[in-house]
Amino acid sequence: MSASRVSRVVVTPVAFGDPPLLNVVGVHQPWALRAIVEVHTDSGLLGLGETYADETHLARLEAVAAVLPGHDPYDLHGLRRLVEGVLGRETGGAGASFGGMLDVSSALATVYSPFEVACLDLQGREVGRPVSDLLGGAVRERVPFSGYLFYKWAGHPGLPDDAWGEALDPDGIVAQATRMVDGWGFGSLKLKGGVFTPDEECAAVEALRAAFPDLPLRLDPNGAWTPETSVRVAERLAGVVEYLEDPTPGIDGMAYVAARTDVPLATNMCVIAFEHLPPAVAADAVQIVLSDHHLWGGLRASSLLAGMTDTFGMGLSMHSNSHLGVSLAAMVHLAAATPNLTYACDTHYPWKTQDLVTPGVLDFEGGSVAVPTGPGLGVELDRDMLGVLHEQYLTCGVRRREDTVYMRSIDPSFSPNTARW
């Protein structure tokens, strides 16, 4: 065990500009929120974590931060017990909800995760080894990512149009994909659906296939379709998409679709915690799980998930929310040390225009990111940018992700119902 102990913990909420990206529950607000967790030790080291920043989550993070000083950063089991104790005292062990689509019965995993990442960053910095080595060693030098396409408005109402412009039809989606491929070199593409009718979204995927005949394609409507519609879409897009992600809600609905198509089904909605795995496996509801260390309880728990998917012959990829460089670094190290990462990972990274890590470490080339070889996560905070993004948090007025509320401020008749088609 290390002789160093945690001396102080700083949780800083930040905000950065987000385009008007459309989805089944509404549209992204002008500002995306994240929290940066800094864990300092009495030996002068600093470990970083990144997570969500809605008000309830921030209160839980601050409660853990208050009792973490004196803890050994190598004692991750003790860290988990500490978080469990805090949540029991502070919140009664209540659940958590993020973005209107991701709901978990216990907040333990999501609160624990950024502190675990920060402790692993500290461990790596102390021993001079990258986090991927702490997870068993990198099995790949570069991690492939998929270009994440969205239907979107040209700009937020009342604000200037953004650099991406409008994408509300197949031509707009193909133009967006072209910019993604030309700018970042992505070797696969994913379209966020659930915005227009299934036929319209199928047409967009087919237009992508015509424009990019060699790139794997994915479509994710976030449970917008009924099971019967999902089967019809799967028939139409068989041989066009490498998988459909969450075409319909719930394990039972996904199992209905899976039994009637050979198109693989992926999920980041009906299997987002370990207790969801047994029923999903028993029903053969999903063939691919999208891991997410923010949701599943950190990097080591995500490695455990990878082992389970391998055991049951399931594919594995990685989910993304709007994130900054600390999260991207953690994702890259995890993906590098995951032998059975079957598909390129998701990332929102090209959509952001600001970051708070020193540039040059996480560059995209050929649609992939080189695994940082420096100690720990291999990234450093840009203190000036941290200050800028924190000031944006203080002044932007957004305190939780509310895609539906924002959409209804523009279109009062909007309904976020899933399985709407």
Side-chain angles (χ1 to χ4, degrees), residues 15 47 61 149 161 191 239 257 278 286 307 336 363-364 402:
L61 297 175
L149 311 177
D161 291 353
L191 174 61
V257 180
V286 298
D363 296 334
F364 281 81
E402 295 182 307

Side-chain angles (χ1 to χ4, degrees), residues 10-16 32-38 49-55 57-59 61-62 324 356 385-396 398-400:
V10 182
V11 178
T12 306
V14 297
F16 57 99
L33 307 181
R34 300 295 274 182
I36 300 301
V37 173
E38 301 176 52
E50 178 186 327
T51 184
Y52 315 103
D54 67 270
E55 290 170 307
H57 192 58
L58 280 175
L61 297 175
E62 292 285 7
L324 295 167
L356 39 63
M385 287 305 299
L386 178 65
V388 168
L389 269 62
H390 179 56
E391 184 65 25
Q392 288 173 179
Y393 173 83
L394 295 175
T395 59
C396 73
V398 176
R399 289 298 176 265
R400 67 192 67 84

Side-chain angles (χ1 to χ4, degrees), residues 283-357:
D284 193 23
V286 298
Q287 290 71 55
I288 300 143
V289 176
L290 275 67
S291 68
D292 185 329
H293 73 272
H294 308 89
L295 276 171
W296 284 85
L299 303 183
R300 298 202 336 168
S302 298
S303 295
L304 177 62
L305 170 64
M308 292 181 177
T309 59
D310 194 38
T311 297
F312 290 107
M314 305 167 81
L316 183 68
S317 187
M318 192 176 290
H319 167 257
S320 167
N321 260 327
S322 300
H323 63 85
L324 295 167
V326 176
S327 279
L328 180 60
M331 293 165 67
V332 169
H333 281 285
L334 173 61
T338 304
N340 61 310
L341 186 74
T342 326
Y343 299 88
C345 304
D346 292 347
T347 181
H348 285 64
Y349 207 59
W351 290 107
K352 58 126 195 69
T353 56
Q354 296 174 300
D355 204 353
L356 39 63
V357 297

Side-chain angles (χ1 to χ4, degrees), residues 126-395:
E126 183 167 76
V127 301
R129 303 295 290 267
V131 164
S132 56
D133 282 359
L134 305 182
L135 300 176
V139 298
R140 52 184 64 87
E141 295 180 351
R142 304 190 65 88
V143 172
F145 286 86
S146 183
Y148 209 156
L149 311 177
F150 285 83
Y151 291 105
K152 66 179 295 293
W153 300 326
H156 287 281
L159 297 175
D161 291 353
D162 59 48
W164 290 88
E166 184 178 87
L168 297 174
D169 57 23
D171 288 344
I173 292 298
V174 169
Q176 187 183 109
T178 300
R179 177 171 174 165
M180 284 277 186
V181 172
D182 290 348
W184 288 267
F186 291 115
S188 62
L189 296 168
K190 169 178 168 175
L191 174 61
K192 176 66 74 178
V195 178
F196 297 109
T197 67
D199 286 340
E200 290 176 273
E201 295 184 352
C202 285
V205 172
E206 289 161 349
L208 288 170
R209 169 53 65 237
F212 303 95
D214 300 324
L215 296 193
L217 304 176
R218 311 162 183 178
L219 176 58
D220 172 21
N222 284 124
W225 310 331
T226 64
E228 294 77 13
T229 296
S230 301
V231 172
R232 179 174 62 82
V233 171
E235 290 173 349
R236 176 169 173 175
L237 296 182
V240 179
V241 293
E242 62 174 347
Y243 61 68
L244 286 176
E245 181 182 337
D246 289 306
T248 198
I251 289 174
D252 290 344
M254 292 282 279
Y256 177 95
V257 180
R260 291 162 176 81
T261 180
D262 291 330
V263 175
L265 303 184
T267 187
N268 176 65
M269 292 182 70
C270 67
V271 180
I272 57 173
F274 284 101
E275 61 264 28
H276 302 153
L277 273 170
V281 170
D284 193 23
V286 298
Q287 290 71 55
I288 300 143
V289 176
L290 275 67
S291 68
D292 185 329
H293 73 272
H294 308 89
L295 276 171
W296 284 85
L299 303 183
R300 298 202 336 168
S302 298
S303 295
L304 177 62
L305 170 64
M308 292 181 177
T309 59
D310 194 38
T311 297
F312 290 107
M314 305 167 81
L316 183 68
S317 187
M318 192 176 290
H319 167 257
S320 167
N321 260 327
S322 300
H323 63 85
L324 295 167
V326 176
S327 279
L328 180 60
M331 293 165 67
V332 169
H333 281 285
L334 173 61
T338 304
N340 61 310
L341 186 74
T342 326
Y343 299 88
C345 304
D346 292 347
T347 181
H348 285 64
Y349 207 59
W351 290 107
K352 58 126 195 69
T353 56
Q354 296 174 300
D355 204 353
L356 39 63
V357 297
T358 304
V361 178
L362 300 171
D363 296 334
F364 281 81
E365 294 181 10
S368 65
V369 175
V371 181
T373 56
L377 291 176
V379 295
E380 304 295 336
L381 273 184
D382 181 328
R383 291 282 171 190
D384 290 339
M385 287 305 299
L386 178 65
V388 168
L389 269 62
H390 179 56
E391 184 65 25
Q392 288 173 179
Y393 173 83
L394 295 175
T395 59

Side-chain angles (χ1 to χ4, degrees), residues 64-105:
V64 173
V67 300
L68 199 55
H71 188 75
D72 182 344
Y74 284 78
D75 183 11
L76 298 181
H77 293 304
L79 172 64
R80 187 175 178 89
R81 291 192 300 272
L82 183 151
V83 174
E84 200 167 22
V86 168
L87 292 182
R89 292 193 300 272
E90 300 292 331
T91 70
S97 180
F98 301 97
M101 287 183 277
L102 301 176
D103 297 286
V104 290
S105 59

